[in-house]
Amino acid sequence: MRDGECTMRAAFLLGGAAFGEALVRVLVADADLMFGLTLCLLAVAGTVPLGLVRPLAAVVLLAAFGFLSLALLHVLTVGAAAALVMGLVRVASVWTQALALPFVVIALVRPTVVTVLLAAIVPAAGWAGVALAARKEALLHRAARKAVANTLVEHTARGERARIARELHDVVAHHISMIAVQAETARLTTPELPPLGAQRFAEIGDRARAGLTEMRRLLGVLRDDEDGTAAELRPAPQLNQLVDLLDDARQSANARLIVSGAPVPLDPGVELAAYRIVQEALTNARRHAPGAAVDVELRYGARLTVRIRDNGPGPANAAGHGLTGMRERAAAAGGTLRAGPAAVGGFLVEAVLPVEDQ
């Protein structure tokens, strides 16, 4: 229930109680009609405004009618006194202390139990309202500070997770990739390698690639994106998104996608490697051969062949970080990559990746 509804209900309850008390006083004292009507009217007027008008106006009216009741009839109902106290507490302002002056004057001129109590209760109620308002504001400020502190802790933790993710990616992922590459290289280049040794090297490469895949999933848990959604919830790019990638490339060059063979489901690591290789090759073509036409070909078969060819001059440094990264990515997925001038001109990047039966 809202505060306004509670106050209105309390005002009418106090009004009814004050009106009933006034009737009892009139009947017991056998007072005349004018006294009785005035007391009943002041009893109602000294309570009901609490729930009908604004708090400051209500407390001024309640104090005025209470003062008139004491000055004219020497009586103030309990309901009217309670309504005045509630109004003072609700306003919660030091300026309400001025409303205590008339009651102090009455207490000095006509000291009775009622007037003295009111002279003490009215200013006390005003100060109580101020204290309650200050406490409420302090609680709100404390809650705000706690929320800000929690937010800072959350952002600090998020930044720490991002730092750990970067370090894992920059250091651990590179070493695991090199393990996979060296195991595959040793298997293929070691002369007279026994079959068991070749099998062991192949197992090392497979385990390294599997560990790299699991570590990338861990990075998705650690690294948050800008809007606070965990990167784990964002699916890794897939080959069916190459159309969008080529649409972006067409803004600066003519690019087309060629698919041959029957597409088959791929291991997520292989599919991600193929997508990233195409993405990096398109970036290199845009950087080193702006405006050149680019063909992206996916050839499905016993292995997946990814070919990206442009008709530009090709990169000046064929051993740059971009090409090195593509080779490492292809090797980590269990494939190979070569890059260099194409037979018919331009520059060619060709990756051969494994296809496993699903």
Side-chain angles (χ1 to χ4, degrees):
M1 186 179 298
R2 292 179 299 180
D3 180 65
E5 294 178 356
C6 292
T7 304
M8 183 176 294
R9 182 170 297 183
F12 283 109
L13 289 175
L14 290 174
F19 185 79
E21 182 184 350
L23 287 179
V24 172
R25 284 177 177 273
V26 171
L27 294 176
V28 171
D30 194 17
D32 58 24
L33 180 61
M34 183 59 67
F35 178 89
L37 289 176
T38 305
L39 182 59
C40 291
L41 179 62
L42 291 174
V44 174
T47 53
V48 174
L50 179 65
L52 297 181
V53 295
R54 294 177 180 273
L56 184 57
V59 77
V60 171
L61 290 174
L62 296 179
F65 288 122
F67 176 77
L68 287 175
S69 181
L70 284 173
L72 298 177
L73 307 177
H74 312 300
V75 176
L76 182 65
T77 60
V78 175
L84 178 59
V85 170
M86 286 184 60
L88 291 168
V89 172
R90 189 178 179 212
V91 171
S93 172
V94 295
W95 299 107
T96 57
Q97 299 303 308
L99 299 177
L101 292 177
F103 297 96
V104 173
V105 172
I106 288 183
L108 293 175
V109 173
R110 191 184 303 119
T112 64
V113 175
V114 175
T115 57
V116 172
L117 284 176
L118 284 173
I121 291 175
V122 170
W127 286 117
V130 173
L132 289 175
R135 182 176 182 274
K136 183 178 180 180
E137 186 176 359
L139 291 176
L140 290 176
H141 287 176
R142 184 184 304 173
R145 288 194 299 269
K146 185 177 180 180
V148 171
N150 290 339
T151 302
L152 290 175
V153 170
E154 182 181 353
H155 281 293
T156 302
R158 188 176 299 169
E160 185 67 14
R161 289 198 301 269
R163 184 187 66 80
I164 294 172
R166 286 194 299 270
E167 291 184 359
L168 284 174
H169 181 270
D170 294 342
V171 179
V172 182
H174 174 74
H175 290 302
I176 295 179
S177 299
M178 291 304 300
I179 291 173
V181 171
Q182 291 174 3
E184 190 71 17
T185 303
R187 183 178 67 84
L188 297 176
T189 59
T190 302
E192 300 180 0
L193 181 66
L196 183 59
Q199 180 183 353
R200 291 289 183 265
F201 277 123
E203 290 176 355
I204 292 172
D206 292 340
R207 292 293 178 87
R209 285 187 289 272
L212 188 61
T213 300
E214 292 299 323
M215 194 196 67
R216 283 171 178 161
R217 292 174 183 170
L218 174 62
L219 294 184
V221 176
L222 292 176
R223 180 176 294 164
D224 292 347
D225 57 15
E226 293 180 355
D227 60 0
T229 304
E232 176 190 25
L233 303 178
R234 180 181 298 172
Q238 298 177 341
L239 290 180
N240 57 15
Q241 296 175 259
L242 284 180
V243 175
D244 297 332
L245 193 62
L246 266 68
D247 285 342
D248 294 337
R250 290 190 187 99
Q251 297 178 4
S252 58
N254 181 24
R256 63 176 180 171
L257 177 64
I258 304 170
V259 179
S260 60
V264 295
L266 300 173
D267 180 84
V270 173
E271 190 159 5
L272 178 61
Y275 181 92
R276 294 303 188 195
I277 289 171
V278 173
Q279 185 180 42
E280 181 65 25
L282 290 174
T283 301
N284 288 343
R286 183 165 55 249
R287 180 184 302 119
H288 300 289
V294 183
D295 288 342
V296 177
E297 180 181 357
L298 299 180
R299 184 182 303 164
Y300 289 90
R303 297 174 75 83
L304 172 65
T305 302
V306 182
R307 303 177 80 247
I308 306 97
R309 188 181 71 83
D310 65 70
N311 58 2
N317 181 12
H321 294 294
L323 295 176
T324 301
M326 284 190 285
R327 289 191 182 94
E328 292 178 351
R329 191 177 289 276
T336 59
L337 183 140
R338 68 180 185 89
V344 294
F347 195 81
L348 173 67
V349 175
E350 183 178 67
V352 180
L353 303 173
V355 175
E356 297 180 358
D357 296 333
Q358 302 292 316

